Amino acid sequence: MDSLYLRISVTDRCNYACRYCIPKSQIRYIPHEEILTYEEIEKIVSLFLKIIPISSIRLTGGEPLLRKGIENLVKKLKALDIKDVSITTNGYFLKEKAKVLKEAGLDRINVSLDTLNEEKYKRLTTYGDLSKVLEGLFEAKRYFSKIKLNTVLIKGFTEEEIDSLLRFAAENNFEIRFIELMDIGIFNKKDHFLPVEFVKSYIEKKYGKLISLERNSFGPAKRYFLKSLNLKLGFIPTSHNFCNTCNRLRLSADGKIRLCLLNDLSYNLKPFLRGAFDENKLLEFLKGIIKIKESMLLKLKKDYCKENMVRIGG
Ligand code: SAM
Protein backbone atom coordinates (compact mmCIF):
# COMPACT_ATOMS: atom_id res chain seq x y z
CA MET A 1 0.00 0.00 0.00
CA ASP A 2 1.69 3.24 -1.01
CA SER A 3 -0.92 5.62 0.32
CA LEU A 4 -3.87 5.70 2.64
CA TYR A 5 -7.44 6.86 2.16
CA LEU A 6 -8.86 7.68 5.57
CA ARG A 7 -12.57 8.05 6.24
CA ILE A 8 -13.27 9.76 9.53
CA SER A 9 -16.67 9.66 11.18
CA VAL A 10 -16.83 12.80 13.29
CA THR A 11 -20.15 12.05 14.96
CA ASP A 12 -22.66 9.23 15.15
CA ARG A 13 -25.54 11.75 15.46
CA CYS A 14 -27.66 12.52 12.43
CA ASN A 15 -30.57 14.90 11.89
CA TYR A 16 -32.03 12.39 9.42
CA ALA A 17 -33.18 8.82 9.90
CA CYS A 18 -32.78 7.37 6.40
CA ARG A 19 -34.62 4.12 6.06
CA TYR A 20 -31.70 2.31 4.45
CA CYS A 21 -29.21 3.57 7.00
CA ILE A 22 -30.80 3.32 10.42
CA PRO A 23 -30.12 -0.18 11.71
CA LYS A 24 -32.91 -2.60 12.52
CA SER A 25 -31.80 -2.82 16.12
CA GLN A 26 -32.09 0.24 18.34
CA ILE A 27 -29.29 2.79 18.12
CA ARG A 28 -27.30 3.45 21.26
CA TYR A 29 -25.57 6.76 20.75
CA ILE A 30 -21.97 7.17 21.83
CA PRO A 31 -21.80 9.37 24.95
CA HIS A 32 -20.37 12.81 24.11
CA GLU A 33 -17.25 12.35 26.21
CA GLU A 34 -16.39 9.21 24.23
CA ILE A 35 -16.33 11.06 20.91
CA LEU A 36 -12.85 11.98 19.71
CA THR A 37 -11.95 15.65 19.99
CA TYR A 38 -10.60 17.47 16.93
CA GLU A 39 -7.19 17.54 18.61
CA GLU A 40 -7.28 13.76 19.00
CA ILE A 41 -8.24 13.29 15.36
CA GLU A 42 -5.44 15.65 14.33
CA LYS A 43 -2.97 13.66 16.44
CA ILE A 44 -4.01 10.34 14.86
CA VAL A 45 -3.71 11.79 11.35
CA SER A 46 -0.30 13.31 12.07
CA LEU A 47 0.96 9.95 13.38
CA PHE A 48 -0.36 8.10 10.34
CA LEU A 49 1.55 10.61 8.23
CA LYS A 50 4.77 9.44 9.87
CA ILE A 51 4.04 5.95 8.52
CA ILE A 52 2.40 6.41 5.14
CA PRO A 53 1.31 9.24 2.82
CA ILE A 54 -2.41 10.03 3.06
CA SER A 55 -3.90 10.57 -0.37
CA SER A 56 -7.29 11.62 0.86
CA ILE A 57 -9.43 12.17 3.94
CA ARG A 58 -13.20 12.09 3.90
CA LEU A 59 -15.22 13.40 6.83
CA THR A 60 -18.48 11.63 7.37
CA GLY A 61 -20.84 10.55 10.15
CA GLY A 62 -23.70 10.53 11.24
CA GLU A 63 -24.08 13.95 9.76
CA PRO A 64 -20.67 15.66 9.81
CA LEU A 65 -22.10 19.18 9.42
CA LEU A 66 -24.01 18.63 12.65
CA ARG A 67 -20.75 18.65 14.57
CA LYS A 68 -19.93 22.10 15.91
CA GLY A 69 -17.02 23.86 14.25
CA ILE A 70 -16.41 21.13 11.66
CA GLU A 71 -14.59 23.74 9.57
CA ASN A 72 -11.94 23.90 12.31
CA LEU A 73 -11.15 20.23 11.78
CA VAL A 74 -10.91 20.84 8.03
CA LYS A 75 -8.43 23.65 8.74
CA LYS A 76 -6.33 21.39 10.97
CA LEU A 77 -6.23 18.65 8.33
CA LYS A 78 -5.28 21.06 5.56
CA ALA A 79 -2.56 22.44 7.83
CA LEU A 80 -1.13 18.89 7.90
CA ASP A 81 -0.85 19.23 4.14
CA ILE A 82 -3.51 16.66 3.25
CA LYS A 83 -4.07 17.35 -0.43
CA ASP A 84 -7.63 16.09 -0.64
CA VAL A 85 -10.10 16.69 2.20
CA SER A 86 -13.76 16.07 1.45
CA ILE A 87 -17.09 15.71 3.24
CA THR A 88 -20.07 13.43 2.72
CA THR A 89 -23.23 15.15 3.89
CA ASN A 90 -26.99 14.97 3.58
CA GLY A 91 -26.79 18.64 2.56
CA TYR A 92 -29.26 19.96 5.12
CA PHE A 93 -26.80 22.46 6.63
CA LEU A 94 -24.89 23.14 3.45
CA LYS A 95 -26.42 26.52 2.77
CA GLU A 96 -25.04 27.89 6.03
CA LYS A 97 -21.78 25.96 5.87
CA ALA A 98 -20.59 25.98 2.25
CA LYS A 99 -18.69 29.27 2.43
CA VAL A 100 -16.89 28.59 5.74
CA LEU A 101 -15.96 25.10 4.57
CA LYS A 102 -14.44 26.52 1.41
CA GLU A 103 -12.55 29.12 3.43
CA ALA A 104 -11.27 26.36 5.71
CA GLY A 105 -9.78 24.64 2.67
CA LEU A 106 -12.27 21.83 1.98
CA ASP A 107 -11.63 20.38 -1.48
CA ARG A 108 -14.75 18.43 -2.36
CA ILE A 109 -18.31 17.68 -1.27
CA ASN A 110 -20.50 14.62 -1.75
CA VAL A 111 -24.20 15.03 -1.10
CA SER A 112 -26.53 12.10 -0.58
CA LEU A 113 -29.56 12.51 -2.80
CA ASP A 114 -31.82 9.61 -3.71
CA THR A 115 -34.82 11.39 -5.18
CA LEU A 116 -35.96 14.83 -6.35
CA ASN A 117 -39.51 14.11 -5.33
CA GLU A 118 -40.25 15.99 -2.12
CA GLU A 119 -42.75 13.47 -0.75
CA LYS A 120 -40.48 10.48 -1.49
CA TYR A 121 -37.49 12.31 -0.03
CA LYS A 122 -39.36 12.91 3.21
CA ARG A 123 -40.54 9.31 3.34
CA LEU A 124 -37.01 8.01 2.84
CA THR A 125 -35.16 10.37 5.17
CA THR A 126 -37.88 10.89 7.85
CA TYR A 127 -36.69 14.38 8.88
CA GLY A 128 -35.27 15.52 5.56
CA ASP A 129 -36.13 18.73 3.74
CA LEU A 130 -35.47 18.51 0.02
CA SER A 131 -35.83 22.23 -0.72
CA LYS A 132 -33.26 23.05 1.98
CA VAL A 133 -30.85 20.50 0.49
CA LEU A 134 -31.30 21.91 -3.00
CA GLU A 135 -30.64 25.42 -1.68
CA GLY A 136 -27.52 24.02 -0.01
CA LEU A 137 -26.37 22.42 -3.25
CA PHE A 138 -26.84 25.65 -5.22
CA GLU A 139 -24.96 27.60 -2.56
CA ALA A 140 -22.15 25.00 -2.56
CA LYS A 141 -21.91 25.31 -6.33
CA ARG A 142 -20.77 28.92 -5.86
CA TYR A 143 -17.69 27.73 -3.99
CA PHE A 144 -16.92 24.17 -5.10
CA SER A 145 -16.24 22.94 -8.59
CA LYS A 146 -16.30 19.28 -7.55
CA ILE A 147 -19.64 18.18 -6.15
CA LYS A 148 -20.87 14.62 -6.32
CA LEU A 149 -24.29 13.21 -5.67
CA ASN A 150 -24.58 9.81 -3.96
CA THR A 151 -27.68 7.83 -4.83
CA VAL A 152 -28.41 4.54 -3.11
CA LEU A 153 -30.20 2.13 -5.41
CA ILE A 154 -33.45 0.79 -3.98
CA LYS A 155 -35.69 -1.51 -5.98
CA GLY A 156 -39.24 -0.19 -6.17
CA PHE A 157 -38.02 3.31 -5.35
CA THR A 158 -35.08 4.37 -7.51
CA GLU A 159 -36.27 3.17 -10.94
CA GLU A 160 -38.53 6.23 -11.32
CA GLU A 161 -35.84 8.60 -10.07
CA ILE A 162 -33.03 7.81 -12.47
CA ASP A 163 -34.00 10.19 -15.28
CA SER A 164 -34.63 13.23 -13.12
CA LEU A 165 -31.46 12.66 -11.09
CA LEU A 166 -29.35 12.28 -14.24
CA ARG A 167 -30.76 15.46 -15.74
CA PHE A 168 -30.38 17.38 -12.49
CA ALA A 169 -26.75 16.29 -12.18
CA ALA A 170 -26.05 17.18 -15.81
CA GLU A 171 -27.70 20.60 -15.57
CA ASN A 172 -25.66 21.50 -12.53
CA ASN A 173 -22.36 19.96 -13.52
CA PHE A 174 -22.45 17.48 -10.63
CA GLU A 175 -21.05 13.96 -10.91
CA ILE A 176 -23.52 11.29 -9.81
CA ARG A 177 -22.76 7.88 -8.31
CA PHE A 178 -25.19 5.05 -7.93
CA ILE A 179 -24.47 2.88 -4.90
CA GLU A 180 -25.76 -0.63 -4.40
CA LEU A 181 -27.84 -1.15 -1.29
CA MET A 182 -26.28 -2.81 1.73
CA ASP A 183 -28.36 -4.74 4.19
CA ILE A 184 -28.41 -2.30 7.08
CA GLY A 185 -31.71 -0.49 7.39
CA ILE A 186 -35.38 -1.23 6.88
CA PHE A 187 -34.97 -2.02 3.17
CA ASN A 188 -33.77 -5.59 3.11
CA LYS A 189 -31.58 -6.74 0.27
CA LYS A 190 -33.83 -9.64 -0.61
CA ASP A 191 -36.68 -7.36 -1.71
CA HIS A 192 -34.93 -4.08 -2.47
CA PHE A 193 -31.57 -4.81 -4.04
CA LEU A 194 -31.21 -3.11 -7.42
CA PRO A 195 -27.94 -4.07 -9.13
CA VAL A 196 -25.80 -1.36 -10.71
CA GLU A 197 -25.87 -3.46 -13.89
CA PHE A 198 -29.62 -2.83 -14.17
CA VAL A 199 -29.16 0.96 -13.96
CA LYS A 200 -26.19 0.86 -16.31
CA SER A 201 -28.08 -0.93 -19.02
CA TYR A 202 -31.16 1.27 -18.52
CA ILE A 203 -29.00 4.36 -19.00
CA GLU A 204 -27.18 2.93 -22.03
CA LYS A 205 -30.45 1.98 -23.74
CA LYS A 206 -31.97 5.40 -23.19
CA TYR A 207 -28.99 7.79 -23.35
CA GLY A 208 -26.33 6.00 -25.35
CA LYS A 209 -23.05 4.33 -24.64
CA LEU A 210 -21.23 4.90 -21.36
CA ILE A 211 -17.61 5.72 -22.04
CA SER A 212 -15.32 4.27 -19.43
CA LEU A 213 -13.22 6.81 -17.48
CA GLU A 214 -10.17 6.22 -15.39
CA ARG A 215 -10.91 4.93 -11.91
CA ASN A 216 -10.53 7.54 -9.22
CA SER A 217 -7.55 6.62 -7.07
CA PHE A 218 -9.55 6.89 -3.87
CA GLY A 219 -12.60 4.81 -4.46
CA PRO A 220 -14.30 1.66 -5.64
CA ALA A 221 -16.51 3.56 -8.12
CA LYS A 222 -16.32 2.63 -11.79
CA ARG A 223 -16.63 5.94 -13.58
CA TYR A 224 -18.11 6.76 -16.98
CA PHE A 225 -18.88 9.66 -19.25
CA LEU A 226 -22.28 10.02 -20.88
CA LYS A 227 -21.86 12.12 -23.96
CA SER A 228 -25.53 12.80 -24.65
CA LEU A 229 -25.91 14.52 -21.28
CA ASN A 230 -22.30 15.69 -20.94
CA LEU A 231 -22.30 13.97 -17.55
CA LYS A 232 -19.81 12.01 -15.47
CA LEU A 233 -21.28 9.19 -13.45
CA GLY A 234 -20.13 6.30 -11.36
CA PHE A 235 -21.34 2.97 -10.05
CA ILE A 236 -20.39 1.52 -6.71
CA PRO A 237 -21.14 -2.16 -6.40
CA THR A 238 -21.22 -3.45 -2.84
CA SER A 239 -21.56 -7.06 -3.88
CA HIS A 240 -18.24 -7.34 -5.71
CA ASN A 241 -14.91 -7.95 -4.16
CA PHE A 242 -12.44 -5.12 -4.72
CA CYS A 243 -10.35 -5.74 -1.61
CA ASN A 244 -7.05 -6.11 -3.41
CA THR A 245 -7.15 -2.46 -4.47
CA CYS A 246 -8.61 -1.08 -1.24
CA ASN A 247 -6.42 1.38 0.68
CA ARG A 248 -9.19 2.60 2.97
CA LEU A 249 -9.21 2.77 6.71
CA ARG A 250 -12.15 4.05 8.71
CA LEU A 251 -11.87 5.91 11.98
CA SER A 252 -15.10 5.82 13.97
CA ALA A 253 -16.38 8.74 16.01
CA ASP A 254 -15.30 7.00 19.21
CA GLY A 255 -11.78 6.24 18.03
CA LYS A 256 -11.87 2.77 16.53
CA ILE A 257 -10.06 1.92 13.33
CA ARG A 258 -11.85 -0.45 11.00
CA LEU A 259 -10.03 -2.17 8.19
CA CYS A 260 -13.13 -2.84 6.11
CA LEU A 261 -16.68 -1.51 5.96
CA LEU A 262 -17.95 -5.04 5.65
CA ASN A 263 -15.99 -6.58 8.47
CA ASP A 264 -16.47 -5.89 12.16
CA LEU A 265 -12.82 -6.20 13.09
CA SER A 266 -11.72 -2.95 14.75
CA TYR A 267 -8.82 -1.51 16.75
CA ASN A 268 -9.50 0.89 19.59
CA LEU A 269 -7.15 3.88 19.68
CA LYS A 270 -8.75 5.49 22.72
CA PRO A 271 -6.59 3.75 25.37
CA PHE A 272 -3.55 5.26 23.64
CA LEU A 273 -5.01 8.75 23.50
CA ARG A 274 -6.50 9.25 26.91
CA GLY A 275 -4.92 8.88 30.30
CA ALA A 276 -1.17 8.49 30.13
CA PHE A 277 -0.68 9.51 26.50
CA ASP A 278 2.32 7.85 24.95
CA GLU A 279 2.92 8.97 21.37
CA ASN A 280 5.39 6.20 20.59
CA LYS A 281 3.02 3.46 21.72
CA LEU A 282 0.25 4.89 19.55
CA LEU A 283 2.63 5.18 16.60
CA GLU A 284 3.65 1.51 16.97
CA PHE A 285 -0.01 0.47 17.23
CA LEU A 286 -0.85 2.38 14.03
CA LYS A 287 2.11 0.79 12.26
CA GLY A 288 0.71 -2.61 13.26
CA ILE A 289 -2.71 -1.69 11.85
CA ILE A 290 -1.20 -0.67 8.50
CA LYS A 291 0.73 -3.95 8.38
CA ILE A 292 -2.43 -5.96 9.00
CA LYS A 293 -4.30 -3.97 6.36
CA GLU A 294 -1.53 -4.62 3.90
CA SER A 295 -1.24 -8.30 4.63
CA MET A 296 -4.82 -9.40 4.79
CA LEU A 297 -7.11 -9.68 1.86
CA LEU A 298 -10.43 -9.25 3.60
CA LYS A 299 -13.12 -11.32 2.03
CA LEU A 300 -16.56 -9.77 1.79
CA LYS A 301 -18.77 -11.37 4.34
CA LYS A 302 -22.34 -12.27 3.51
CA ASP A 303 -23.70 -10.79 6.72
CA TYR A 304 -22.33 -7.30 5.97
CA CYS A 305 -22.07 -4.67 8.70
CA LYS A 306 -23.36 -5.55 12.07
CA GLU A 307 -22.31 -2.15 13.34
CA ASN A 308 -24.32 1.01 12.77
CA MET A 309 -23.62 2.86 9.53
CA VAL A 310 -23.98 6.16 11.40
CA ARG A 311 -21.10 5.12 13.62
CA ILE A 312 -18.87 3.86 10.82
CA GLY A 313 -19.74 6.60 8.38
CA GLY A 314 -20.41 4.68 5.16
N1 SAM B 1 -25.03 11.91 6.79
C1 SAM B 1 -24.15 11.88 5.68
C2 SAM B 1 -24.93 11.62 4.42
O1 SAM B 1 -26.16 11.49 4.46
O2 SAM B 1 -24.29 11.59 3.36
C3 SAM B 1 -22.96 10.94 5.82
C4 SAM B 1 -23.18 9.60 6.42
S1 SAM B 1 -23.99 8.42 5.39
C5 SAM B 1 -23.92 7.00 6.43
C6 SAM B 1 -22.73 8.08 4.21
C7 SAM B 1 -23.17 7.35 2.97
O3 SAM B 1 -23.60 6.07 3.31
C8 SAM B 1 -24.28 8.04 2.24
O4 SAM B 1 -23.88 8.35 0.93
C9 SAM B 1 -25.38 6.99 2.21
O5 SAM B 1 -26.09 7.08 1.05
C10 SAM B 1 -24.59 5.70 2.39
N2 SAM B 1 -25.41 4.60 2.93
C11 SAM B 1 -26.08 4.58 4.09
N3 SAM B 1 -26.77 3.41 4.23
C12 SAM B 1 -26.53 2.69 3.12
C13 SAM B 1 -26.96 1.41 2.64
N4 SAM B 1 -27.81 0.65 3.34
N5 SAM B 1 -26.49 0.97 1.46
C14 SAM B 1 -25.65 1.74 0.73
N6 SAM B 1 -25.22 2.95 1.10
C15 SAM B 1 -25.66 3.44 2.28
Side-chain angles (χ1 to χ4, degrees):
M1 220 160 72
D2 32 281
S3 68
L4 184 64
Y5 171 12
L6 195 58
R7 292 179 69 100
I8 302 177
S9 172
V10 294
T11 177
D12 62 338
R13 290 354 185 235
C14 190
N15 56 322
Y16 280 17
C18 297
R19 292 173 65 188
Y20 52 67
C21 187
I22 294 303
K24 290 159 190 108
S25 54
Q26 217 187 343
I27 306 177
R28 190 180 52 80
Y29 285 115
I30 303 168
H32 278 290
E33 63 278 12
E34 292 297 321
I35 304 263
L36 292 185
T37 64
Y38 290 157
E39 287 69 30
E40 286 170 331
I41 294 174
E42 184 187 18
K43 175 55 74 188
I44 292 166
V45 172
S46 67
L47 289 179
F48 266 131
L49 282 170
K50 291 187 179 187
I51 308 168
I52 186 165
I54 297 177
S55 57
S56 179
I57 291 185
R58 177 170 295 282
L59 303 178
T60 176
E63 173 47 44
L65 300 192
L66 205 53
R67 179 131 179 210
K68 217 170 150 191
I70 187 69
E71 60 278 11
N72 298 326
L73 177 61
V74 173
K75 264 185 218 154
K76 284 179 191 297
L77 298 174
K78 289 306 286 183
L80 291 174
D81 210 18
I82 306 294
K83 289 282 173 289
D84 180 66
V85 179
S86 59
I87 276 186
T88 298
T89 172
N90 58 34
Y92 189 90
F93 300 106
L94 206 47
K95 191 170 180 207
E96 298 102 275
K97 284 287 189 180
K99 186 165 184 268
V100 285
L101 286 168
K102 183 66 189 178
E103 285 165 359
L106 189 76
D107 296 287
R108 298 184 293 125
I109 297 184
N110 284 13
V111 177
S112 300
L113 189 66
D114 306 302
T115 170
L116 288 164
N117 175 306
E118 209 147 344
E119 183 273 323
K120 278 177 98 173
Y121 187 81
K122 186 91 188 161
R123 193 152 33 98
L124 186 69
T125 60
T126 316
Y127 306 111
D129 181 340
L130 180 63
S131 55
K132 208 165 145 59
V133 173
L134 297 181
E135 280 177 20
L137 270 166
F138 297 139
E139 180 70 4
K141 234 174 88 168
R142 298 177 57 199
Y143 303 103
F144 294 91
S145 56
K146 290 179 183 170
I147 297 178
K148 284 185 190 149
L149 305 178
N150 283 347
T151 301
V152 176
L153 296 173
I154 307 157
K155 193 171 170 184
F157 184 98
T158 308
E159 293 94 328
E160 290 174 7
E161 308 307 308
I162 298 171
D163 295 296
S164 56
L165 284 167
L166 287 177
R167 290 189 186 283
F168 176 73
E171 277 161 19
N172 289 288
N173 198 23
F174 301 145
E175 184 166 333
I176 183 164
R177 289 125 45 97
F178 294 101
I179 307 169
E180 273 179 355
L181 181 74
M182 293 193 294
D183 221 344
I184 298 161
I186 294 164
F187 292 115
N188 62 58
K189 269 189 86 166
K190 195 169 129 298
D191 300 325
H192 296 286
F193 187 75
L194 186 65
V196 289
E197 291 309 326
F198 170 89
V199 182
K200 248 176 95 173
S201 64
Y202 171 83
I203 293 173
E204 287 210 300
K205 263 187 217 137
K206 187 153 180 183
Y207 297 95
K209 196 167 168 38
L210 288 163
I211 301 158
S212 192
L213 292 176
E214 226 173 84
R215 209 179 255 273
N216 203 321
S217 54
F218 359 92
K222 281 203 77 174
R223 298 173 66 236
Y224 297 89
F225 179 65
L226 192 54
K227 205 169 164 211
S228 63
L229 292 182
N230 190 23
L231 171 73
K232 284 187 186 139
L233 65 163
F235 298 94
I236 306 184
T238 53
S239 47
H240 297 178
N241 188 329
F242 43 80
C243 309
N244 55 350
T245 57
C246 174
N247 65 343
R248 294 178 173 208
L249 286 185
R250 292 179 162 81
L251 175 62
S252 70
D254 58 347
K256 293 185 185 118
I257 293 274
R258 269 175 102 97
L259 301 178
C260 172
L261 177 61
L262 307 177
N263 189 301
D264 292 339
L265 192 60
S266 72
Y267 299 88
N268 191 2
L269 306 185
K270 199 77 84 38
F272 297 92
L273 288 162
R274 303 214 171 150
F277 175 66
D278 182 334
E279 186 164 316
N280 282 332
K281 276 195 184 149
L282 180 54
L283 182 64
E284 288 312 307
F285 193 61
L286 296 179
K287 277 183 189 166
I289 290 173
I290 296 286
K291 277 218 174 88
I292 296 166
K293 175 77 185 176
E294 281 173 338
S295 65
M296 69 196 292
L297 200 73
L298 288 165
K299 296 281 178 223
L300 292 189
K301 292 198 324 189
K302 287 274 183 293
D303 52 352
Y304 289 103
C305 304
K306 292 188 204 89
E307 267 268 20
N308 298 343
M309 192 65 138
V310 284
R311 198 170 282 187
I312 314 160

